[in-house]
Amino acid sequence: MTVGNVQQRIQHIENKIQEACDRTGRDRSEVTIVAVTKQVSATRASEVLAADIHNLGENRSEGLLEKQEDITNGAIWHFIGNVQSRKVKDIIDRIDYLHSVDRLSIIKEIQKRATKTIDCFVQVNVSGEASKSGISPSELQQFIEEAAAYDKIRIVGLMTMAPFTEDQEIIRQVFRSLRELRDEMAAQQWKHAPCTKLSMGMSNDYIIAIEEGATHVRIGTALVGAESEVDT
Ligand SMILES: *Cc1c(COP(=O)(O)O)cnc(C)c1O
């Protein structure tokens, strides 16, 4: 894939995002694209940076460390995957945002290992699918309250994954529920948990997510393709 190709994909996504913002009366500046580079090389990730997208997402510690060997400045790093407790120490001081806080043991491990406060999203299992990680909506408030005891954690928002379905109305309902939960949590005005951001939407559903209030869309294949498509 050439730089031009990445730029074309970004242009297409930008147009879609602008249209979704226009339809719903949102300002484009409210939405951050996190380019998910987990399936591609550091070279391809560099092309994304060159095209002026600076937020990069990885879901495995190995992938993160590999990319950071090549990309030493200009990137804002998001860890979007399930994080194993024993891997926290490898990544925690290398990332700017963690999108997948879903249990107290991770918070305790971050508290032990981090040398600065980490901006975290709490992952919520809105759809209730057994296969999905995340805090259940009914336990969210208590979980966030418990996090107050750990000063290395700042809860900046909520994150979710849409269910595996073609039914756009079901997906929309999940995103809408997350936004409502976010509003409830933000209204508490916790010092450790401003909880104003919404990380939701991927390649197949980022437009719906933006219509429903996403502030961070995590876009992989639609933006960088998959490495198998490389046509150099
Ligand atoms: C891989 C991944 C994405 C991006 O998925 P695409 O469908 O390639 O856009 C977003 N969020 C998470 C948590 C992921 O693991």
Side-chain angles (χ1 to χ4, degrees):
M1 176 178 284
T2 63
V3 175
N5 205 335
V6 168
Q7 277 171 345
Q8 279 165 14
R9 286 169 182 253
I10 291 171
Q11 194 51 54
H12 173 78
I13 291 167
E14 271 299 338
N15 292 343
K16 293 283 179 198
I17 292 177
Q18 187 62 57
E19 286 165 16
C21 286
D22 291 346
R23 273 197 300 281
T24 49
R26 301 189 66 196
D27 196 280
R28 170 66 187 87
S29 64
E30 295 171 20
V31 181
T32 299
I33 297 173
V34 177
V36 177
T37 51
K38 67 186 185 195
Q39 298 203 76
V40 300
S41 64
T43 308
R44 183 87 64 93
S46 305
E47 293 176 12
V48 174
L49 278 180
D52 237 15
I53 289 192
H54 294 273
N55 290 270
L56 301 183
E58 286 285 328
N59 72 337
R60 290 174 58 247
S61 53
E62 294 79 6
L64 178 78
L65 300 185
E66 195 190 299
K67 297 294 188 317
Q68 290 188 343
E69 271 182 30
D70 284 39
I71 300 171
T72 51
N73 64 43
I76 299 162
W77 296 100
H78 297 252
F79 198 85
I80 61 171
N82 223 314
V83 55
Q84 295 169 275
S85 292
R86 64 189 175 83
K87 297 279 178 75
V88 166
K89 64 177 186 313
D90 301 335
I91 62 158
I92 204 65
D93 277 336
R94 297 170 160 270
I95 62 176
D96 300 291
Y97 293 91
L98 178 60
H99 287 242
S100 46
V101 169
D102 62 353
R103 55 197 191 277
L104 207 56
S105 59
I106 282 293
I107 288 184
K108 289 179 177 168
E109 188 64 16
I110 293 169
Q111 182 69 23
K112 200 156 86 184
R113 305 291 186 176
T115 61
K116 57 170 174 139
T117 300
I118 308 294
D119 285 337
C120 298
F121 291 80
V122 174
Q123 183 167 354
V124 184
N125 185 357
V126 178
S127 60
E129 286 175 292
S131 61
K132 284 215 158 54
S133 42
I135 301 282
S136 79
S138 62
E139 291 168 352
L140 181 61
Q141 167 139 359
Q142 195 194 338
F143 181 76
I144 294 178
E145 284 170 355
E146 282 171 358
Y150 305 90
D151 66 1
K152 297 284 173 29
I153 311 287
R154 183 190 301 117
I155 296 174
V156 297
L158 304 180
M159 178 273 214
T160 202
M161 310 263 287
F164 298 106
T165 172
E166 299 282 300
D167 188 332
Q168 307 228 323
E169 270 317 302
I170 292 176
I171 294 172
R172 185 178 296 280
Q173 201 49 57
V174 165
F175 290 157
R176 188 168 297 172
S177 298
L178 193 73
R179 182 186 64 201
E180 288 166 359
L181 279 171
R182 189 274 315 265
D183 292 346
E184 282 173 40
M185 297 305 127
Q188 316 267 345
Q189 302 197 311
W190 288 299
K191 203 157 162 277
H192 75 292
C195 207
T196 54
K197 301 180 194 300
L198 275 178
S199 169
M200 57 191 196
M202 319 198 325
S203 290
N204 288 328
D205 51 25
Y206 69 92
I207 297 165
I208 304 174
I210 290 168
E211 289 172 350
E212 295 302 328
T215 65
H216 289 69
V217 286
R218 311 178 307 268
I219 307 181
T221 43
L223 204 154
V224 288
E227 202 64 76
S228 54
E229 297 171 38
V230 172
D231 56 20
T232 48

